[in-house]
Each structure stands twice: as C-alpha cells, then as structure tokens.
Amino acid sequence: MKQNLCLSGIYRKVLWAMALMLTWQLALASGDEAHGSGTGEEKEFNAGEMIIDHIVDAHEWHIASMGKTHISVPLPVILFDEGRIVAFMSSKFHHGHEPYKGYRLMTEGEYKGKIVKVKTDGVTVDEEAGLPLDFSITKNVVSIFICVILLCVVFITIARRYRKNPGAPKGLQSWLEPLILFVRDDIAKPAIGEKKYEKYMVFLLTVFFFIFFSNLMGLIPFMPGGANVTGNIAVTLVLALFTFVITTFSGNMNYWKHIVNAPGVPWWLKIPLPLMPVVELIGVITKPFVLMVRLFANIMAGHIVALGFISLIFIFSAMSPWGASVSIVSIIFYVFMGLLELLVAFIQAYVFTLLSALYFGMATEEHHDHTHETEHAH
Amino acid sequence: MELVTPSLGLIFWMTIAFFFLLLVLGKYAWKPVMKSLKEREHRIADALNEAEKAREEMKELKFSNEELLKQAKEERDDILREARKVREAIIEEAREKANAEADRIIENARQSIHYEKMAAITELKNQIAVLSIEIAEKVLSQELSKDDKQKQLIDKMLGEVNFN
C-alpha cells in the first residue's frame, strides 16, 4: 500500500516536472520568435531554424528572451589561433552583433554558429586566414562539466554510505543500487563472463551513468539541463572511441586471429585477395561507429520531435487566431514524448553499455568451438 | 551539416571530462561500491548458510534431547524397578528373620516351660513323696499301733506288688 502511494507520488512529480518543462519550452520558443522579429525586418517563425538552434552547441547559454532583451549566460571563448591562445567571454560578441579582437560569432550563412576571423571592417569573413581552432567552453561543455560534477557528488556520496553502512541500502543509495546491480549482473556478467568482467566495470558503470544522467538532464528544458549533450555527435564520438580503444587493447590472440585469419572461412576468401580480413577490419571500425550514430541519432531525434510539437503551436497561431487551440493537442503529444524520452534515456544508456560490454566480451573470448565463433564474428 | 560534424573543441573537452570521470569514479566510487556490494553478497550468503546449518543443528539437538529424555526415563524406570526389588527383598528378609526369631523365642519359651514343668513335676513328686512319707508315717504310726493291722497291711501290700 505504501509503495503504491510512493509510486503515485513519483508519477505526480514527473507530471509536474513535465508541466514545468512545457511552460519553459513555450517561453523559450516564444522568446526565439521575439528574437527573430526583433532583428529588424519582420521575420516569420521558422520552426526548422528554431529547432536546429536548440539542438546544436552554442557559445552562450540562452535562458529566455523578452522582446529585444536576451537573458543568457555568457561562456568563456578559448581560441587557438596562429600559435597563441585567445580567451574572453562570449558576451563580448553581443550575440554575434559585434566583432571582438578580429573575431566574430556568425549567426547566419555558411559559418553559422562558428567563430571566424573578420577583416578590419568587422563584417566580411577573412577567407584566407582560415578558422581559428575553437576550444571554447560551450553550452555542451558546461553541461558535460555539470554532469561530471553531479555524477562525482552523487556516486562519491553513496560510496561513502556503502563504506559506512554495510547493511541494507537507504535513500539515494537504494535508488541507484538496482541500476549498479543491473549493469553488473545483466550487462557485464552475461556479456563478458564471470571471470573477466570486473576490470571493465569502471568503464561500463561510468559510461552507463554518464549517458543516463546526460539524457535525463537533456530532458530538463532549462538551465542546468536542456543542452543536447548525448545528442551531439562529438560527445558520442568520444564515448565510442573509448569503447573502441578499450576493445582494441583488451583483444587477445584469439580476437586478432579472427580478424587476420578468420577460422572456418574458405582459404580463397583470404588468399590472394584478403577479402575476409578486410571485412573483419571494417567490422571492427563499424562497431564503434554504430555506437556513436545510434546514441546521437536517438537523443537528437527525441529533442527534435519534442521541439516540433512546440513549434506547431506557433505555426498554427500564426495561421489563424483560432490556431492556438492546436496547442492542446500539441501539449498532450509533448507530454507523451517527454514520457517516451524518459524511457529512451534509459534504453539508450542500456544499449550503449550492453554493446560496449559485448565488444569487450568478444575481444576477451577464449578459443572454443568454431561454429559458434563464426556466428559471433558478424 | 553542423549536426553531423563533430567539433574539435567539444571532442577535446569531452575526452578530458570523461577521462577525469573515469579516474575519479573508478577510484572513489566504483571501487568501494563494488567491493561492499560483493562483501554484502558474501555476508548474506554466509548468513543463509549459517542459518541452514543452525537449523540442521537444532534439529539434531532436538533429536538428541529426545533421545536423552527417553534414556533418562528408561534409566529412572530401571532404578525404580531395582529399588522396588530391593525393597521387597529387604522386607522378605526381615520377615524371614523375624519369623526365625519368633520361632526361636517360642522354642526357647517352650523349652523353658518344659524345664519348669519338669522341675515343678519333680518338686511336686518330691513333695508328694515327702507328704506321702509323712502321711505314711502318720498312717503307719496310727495303723500300725495294732499288730493285726500291721499284718493286714503287709499282706495287702504284698498282694499289690507285682513280681515280674
């Protein structure tokens, strides 16, 4: 009975959070609209542009816009240009309206969202100079840092709890313990094997909780959440690279033998044309590539769809005065999407961790029955 | 296009941040957590094993208790039986002794009665003899004052005496 009450309490909280998220999204979108109309000529609400603006990285953390005033948190810009480091706050760009120290944040055109070098007039792009290397602490970087700090605080806290109280888990610990056990017992142990799983636990747990927490933070539409971290290909690229590097370095003789000289394959597939080795090598590269794309595409798509439903409100409102009534449907769909994204947040973290574990398992698999192994190789 | 082009800066910071996260969580979070989870599992398994063992022991203990009780009862019964036997034997012996004693006393009494009786008879006889002699004396002195009478008596006496 108590559990039921507790659960319904959680549902209520989730719904409240959703409602809050929704109002914020509305505020954000309307702010964008105002932003669009505020830049001079009457600009129509462009859903595609608004959505892309929300899911790509940015040099400032936009919170809201009211009329012409934009409320945003400026973030440090760090440029590596011609052997020297240039650092300043992004507020110096005035949302891309003004150049600073010969650099300009582009808001339109080919270099949209990028920092370019401009000629002395401060407007035309200096095509010959090339782009400065941009190591800025962008919105996504800040979001990653927040996530890292959150993870450290949460897990070091519960680790202390574990050390002090070896008995039954309590509080936060009892919420996270099933997830830790899930990663250990349902991902690592079956995929890697009872004997070798332990040394991969650090990576698997870290990657699982990093993706899970980032995904959840991405669902919160306002600061410190709302950044599209796991829906950014650079982030998933790094995560997949970690998996790739660990897989490659833990590969045993059996694993490499499979790639160079796959057993159970006719010889003419290997000599004189090394067809199978090439295929196997492509497979090795494909695995992390797929990891990268899957996570990126899933999370980005979730953000796009959610923003799409919000955009519908503005599109229909612009079409007719009665168009705003479509917001009821939009909101219902948005809430539905939000709940779905909660599920996706977990599933994608699970899938990434599971596949990483499977690759580690393959790399450390001991030599046994051939027929079974050839199945695995694909 | 920007969506699928990873930016260098983000890759750089993400690599650093994630590497840092791996190091910190690996050392300060996962290690103690995994260790204590394992320890807890061991402890629970041990506790279950021990409980099973204790139950087994309890069962055995109960069994041996019952056995002991049974034995004790048997022993008690044996002792009681023995005691009863001893008691009966003692009583029997005592009775026999008493009987023997009584017999002996009665025999003694009978003997002494016999002796006394004999003594009494002897005395009586003696007295009777004395008395008889005295009577005889008196009678004789009276009777035999006359000769015929004496003669008469002697005859009579002689007649009475049986010679054989």
Side-chain angles (χ1 to χ4, degrees), chain A residues 161-240:
Chain A
R161 187 89 58 84
Y162 271 107
R163 227 174 300 154
K164 269 194 214 155
N165 164 32
K170 274 199 309 201
L172 192 61
Q173 195 187 3
S174 57
W175 188 71
L176 289 164
E177 187 175 306
L179 291 175
I180 296 171
L181 289 177
F182 173 71
V183 173
R184 192 190 67 177
D185 297 339
D186 294 326
I187 296 177
K189 276 187 190 173
I192 304 172
E194 199 75 41
K195 275 179 244 162
K196 297 176 200 146
Y197 81 94
E198 267 172 46
K199 65 175 170 178
Y200 298 105
M201 280 316 288
V202 169
F203 176 74
L204 293 177
L205 283 168
T206 310
V207 96
F208 178 84
F209 283 106
F210 178 80
I211 295 173
F212 188 42
F213 275 49
S214 294
N215 287 350
L216 290 180
M217 268 170 62
L219 291 180
I220 306 167
F222 43 84
M223 215 174 161
N228 187 22
V229 172
T230 36
N232 187 299
I233 200 154
V235 174
T236 59
L237 172 77
V238 172
L239 291 174

Side-chain angles (χ1 to χ4, degrees), chain A residues 134-137 141 144 151 155 159 162 166-167 177 184 198 205-206 209-210 232-233 237-239 242 296, chain B residues 2-3 6 9-15 17-18 21-22 26 28 30 32-34 36-38 40-41 43:
Chain A
D134 188 355
F135 287 97
S136 304
I137 308 292
V141 175
I144 289 166
L151 283 166
F155 285 102
Y162 271 107
E177 187 175 306
R184 192 190 67 177
E198 267 172 46
L205 283 168
T206 310
F209 283 106
F210 178 80
N232 187 299
I233 200 154
L237 172 77
V238 172
L239 291 174
F242 268 95
F296 154 70
Chain B
E2 202 198 331
L3 274 179
L10 195 51
I11 291 176
F12 172 76
W13 288 114
M14 174 63 194
T15 310
F18 194 72
L21 193 66
L22 273 177
Y28 297 107
W30 305 134
V33 168
M34 297 311 286
S36 56
L37 276 179
K38 204 171 229 179
R40 189 203 292 162
E41 270 155 24
R43 218 168 38 240

Side-chain angles (χ1 to χ4, degrees), chain A residues 254-274:
Chain A
N254 192 32
Y255 174 73
W256 292 113
K257 200 180 136 209
H258 254 274
I259 292 167
V260 179
N261 181 17
V265 177
W267 62 269
W268 45 267
L269 279 175
K270 303 170 197 167
I271 303 167
L273 260 170

